[in-house]
Amino acid sequence: MRPRQVALHAALSLGGLAMLFPFVWMLLTSFKGVRQMLNNPLDWLPHPWRWENYPDALGAMPFGTAYWNSFYIAVLNVTLTLLTSAMAAYAFARIRFRGSGALFVVFLATQMVPAQVTVVPLYLMLARFGWIDSHLSLIVPTIANPFAVFLLRQFIRAVPVELEEAARIDGASRWRCFWHVVLPNIRPGLGALGIIAFLASWNAFFFPLIFLNSPELATVPLLLSQFSGQRTAVDYGLILAASAIAVVPTLIAFLVGQRKIINSMAASGLGGR
Amino acid sequence: MTVLTRARPRTVHRARSVRNRDGWWAAFFLAPQVAALLVFLAFPLGFAVVLAFMRWDGLGQKEWVGFDNFAAQLSDPEFGLAVWNTVKLALLTVPFGLGLALLIAVALNNVKGGGFYRVLYFLPVVTSSVAVALMWQIILAGDDYGVLNASLERWFGISAPDWLGGPGWVIVAVAVVTIWSSLGLNVVIFLAGLQTIPPQIVEAARMDGAGSLRIFRSVTLPLLSPTIFFSTVVAVISSFQAFDQIYVLVDPADNEGARTIVYQVYELGFKDFRFGMSSAAALILLVLTLLVTLVQFAAQKRLVHYDS
């Protein structure tokens, strides 16, 4: 290897270590006891290894319920987002109707509005619906997703029109074309968007914090955030065990679909935020 | 001839009916998204504007107060502090975060087999912001039991400040965590931009005797400027909206150094139940965002290079 390559690899590895460090440190510390933490934080390896931190963390809070809540909310979010945004994307990409261009611009413009601006009225409205302290508040409003419509429209435009025209000449309706011709051809786009939507739903914090009160309704990040109030208790091992438990599903989802996720987030430039 | 003239009206009629039917199909396909946007975005936005001019605690009578909420916020030193902290956070995260991401992206673009690094740098992007903040909270903890301060003390003899404990360094700590967790996203966006630069241009510059730095300044930067511009706009907007990491790292209720506009919106709305005041603060945030974006677009005309 040329010296330049060696230098670049060295610099990138160093940076990579800095990225990895908090994760490794979290994992190691999650096996430490309180006394070891307080005596010397520079003691890297736990001694003794306190495996009990994990069952203790699981026992301290209703993690099982929170996992199920986060999981089923994310699955519903993904399903609803994929279906409704693919439908809208199909209309924008394939159907000529009056005002199509203007409506699309309005769609894109709504993305500029920060969630904080609409959160108070949204809360009041959901309270009127009786959806506060109910998972409906985290599922139904998230259907509105202009980013997803934009992303899928790009994918649909790349599907050859001829495929659909052939089906239409054979008498297929718009819906059949959408369902049987277009959707199977944008599977990669649906997959990428599905993972982005899953991560966004799983990691969401702001809305669950405001819309949910009951402990049994809490999602994983919400439950986890309750550990942060215990700063003075300094049972860091327990807190970090809880974090490790919470992080695992997203890390698995990421490692499985990393190429898709990275590429589609790079292409969209916005991620799921 | 007669056949043709007779055929024409029929095709016109048919085309119109197809278009009509298409209109109904378009409405059908768009209905769920449009309905959700109207109900959960457009209506709350309009409602927010109306609320900002009212005094209301959610239970009693709504009272129209004109610009009072805005005036109260803008003259409140606490809100001034929130604006200042918000701006400070943007000034720290945007230049340093994007600069670092650019360096890493250029390095990755010049290295063989960089896929592994890409995954590594991206890891924090997909990690729950709450978990990220908890990890960092313990790394940055003061009183010598945070690993960072203990290391600084032992290896360099530096007694570091309590990063999260007082108002002084909090924004810097929040900025470090924010940069760390969004670095990967900016890296891959820059990398995607770099890969669209035709290698022939770089080769031609090299043939003309340009060194690496010169190529970076005169070829890479101008060709990447649309991507950089786009990322800057997005980074400023998202730094203005930062909430999760701040709320978990340091509850701004205990540490005013971490009070940002978004936190102010949250506290006014959901701790004090002053809905009008909270909406006014949120609208000020929106106006600030739009202003900064406009300034950026104005600057773009001079700094960003587009292919013509």
Side-chain angles (χ1 to χ4, degrees), chain B residues 15 23 37 47 51 98 102 104 111 185 194 201 216-217 236 247 265 270-271 284 295-296 307:
Chain B
L37 274 176
F47 194 5
L51 264 178
L98 294 187
L102 185 60
I104 295 167
V111 97
L185 187 61
L194 284 171
I201 299 183
F216 179 74
R217 210 162 52 91
V236 170
Y247 182 86
V265 172
F270 300 102
K271 284 185 155 173
I284 295 173
V295 169
Q296 284 175 305
D307 291 331

Side-chain angles (χ1 to χ4, degrees), chain B:
Chain B
M1 193 66 206
T2 46
V3 176
L4 268 179
T5 42
R6 208 179 298 153
R8 180 166 289 163
R10 199 175 296 158
T11 46
V12 166
H13 175 74
R14 201 167 150 246
R16 190 177 300 144
S17 86
V18 163
R19 194 167 307 152
N20 277 341
R21 227 181 307 147
D22 269 359
W24 285 109
W25 275 117
F28 166 74
F29 278 106
L30 287 166
Q33 277 293 326
V34 170
L37 274 176
L38 283 176
V39 177
F40 300 114
L41 248 158
F43 174 73
L45 182 62
F47 194 5
V49 174
V50 176
L51 264 178
F53 293 96
M54 295 196 177
R55 183 178 300 134
W56 192 39
D57 60 2
L59 295 172
Q61 283 292 311
K62 294 193 189 81
E63 185 191 343
W64 187 264
V65 294
F67 281 94
D68 280 11
N69 289 333
F70 293 95
Q73 282 301 309
L74 292 173
S75 62
D76 181 359
E78 201 171 67
F79 188 76
L81 183 69
V83 173
W84 173 229
N85 285 336
T86 307
V87 170
K88 258 201 297 198
L89 185 62
L91 287 177
L92 285 170
T93 51
V94 178
F96 289 110
L98 294 187
L100 203 56
L102 185 60
L103 275 180
I104 295 167
V106 170
L108 272 176
N109 199 36
N110 283 302
V111 97
K112 288 190 198 76
F116 172 67
Y117 299 119
R118 221 174 53 142
V119 173
L120 217 53
Y121 286 99
F122 210 77
L123 220 47
V125 178
V126 298
T127 308
S128 148
S129 51
V130 176
V132 162
L134 283 178
M135 275 155 49
W136 279 95
Q137 185 180 79
I138 295 171
I139 291 172
L140 294 170
D143 305 342
D144 293 341
Y145 48 89
V147 67
L148 179 68
N149 281 8
S151 309
L152 287 173
E153 178 81 54
R154 159 128 18 129
W155 295 335
F156 305 101
I158 300 170
S159 56
D162 183 356
W163 306 102
L164 305 172
W169 288 91
V170 168
I171 285 293
V172 176
V174 169
V176 167
V177 176
T178 309
I179 290 172
W180 179 83
S181 51
S182 59
L183 192 62
L185 187 61
N186 292 320
V187 166
V188 298
I189 291 171
F190 285 151
L191 197 56
L194 284 171
Q195 281 162 358
T196 61
I197 296 178
Q200 298 91 302
I201 299 183
V202 179
E203 227 17 74
R206 185 156 291 140
M207 299 278 269
D208 289 344
S212 293
L213 261 182
R214 184 67 211 259
I215 290 177
F216 179 74
R217 210 162 52 91
S218 308
V219 179
T220 314
L221 267 189
L223 288 179
L224 200 61
S225 57
T227 312
I228 297 175
F229 168 70
F230 175 74
S231 301
T232 311
V233 174
V234 173
V236 170
I237 293 176
S238 67
S239 89
F240 276 9
Q241 295 174 21
F243 179 82
D244 302 8
Q245 65 271 50
I246 296 175
Y247 182 86
V248 178
L249 266 175
V250 260
D251 191 343
D254 318 328
N255 187 341
E256 61 169 22
R259 195 171 275 280
T260 58
I261 307 180
V262 165
Y263 183 77
Q264 201 77 0
V265 172
Y266 167 76
E267 191 179 68
L268 286 167
F270 300 102
K271 284 185 155 173
D272 305 344
F273 300 103
R274 296 160 79 184
F275 292 134
M277 216 48 127
S278 173
S279 289
L283 283 182
I284 295 173
L285 175 72
L286 180 61
V287 170
L288 203 63
T289 310
L290 291 178
L291 276 180
V292 172
T293 313
L294 277 180
V295 169
Q296 284 175 305
F297 270 92
Q300 170 216 22
K301 290 215 178 79
R302 294 185 36 202
L303 298 174
V304 176
H305 171 279
Y306 288 104
D307 291 331
S308 47

Side-chain angles (χ1 to χ4, degrees), chain A residues 78-110:
Chain A
V78 169
T79 315
L80 288 169
T81 301
L82 288 185
L83 179 67
T84 62
S85 57
M87 284 170 67
Y90 175 79
F92 280 126
R94 283 293 203 269
I95 304 179
R96 300 178 64 176
F97 59 96
R98 228 188 300 158
S100 161
L103 187 62
F104 191 63
V105 170
V106 173
F107 255 71
L108 291 187
T110 55

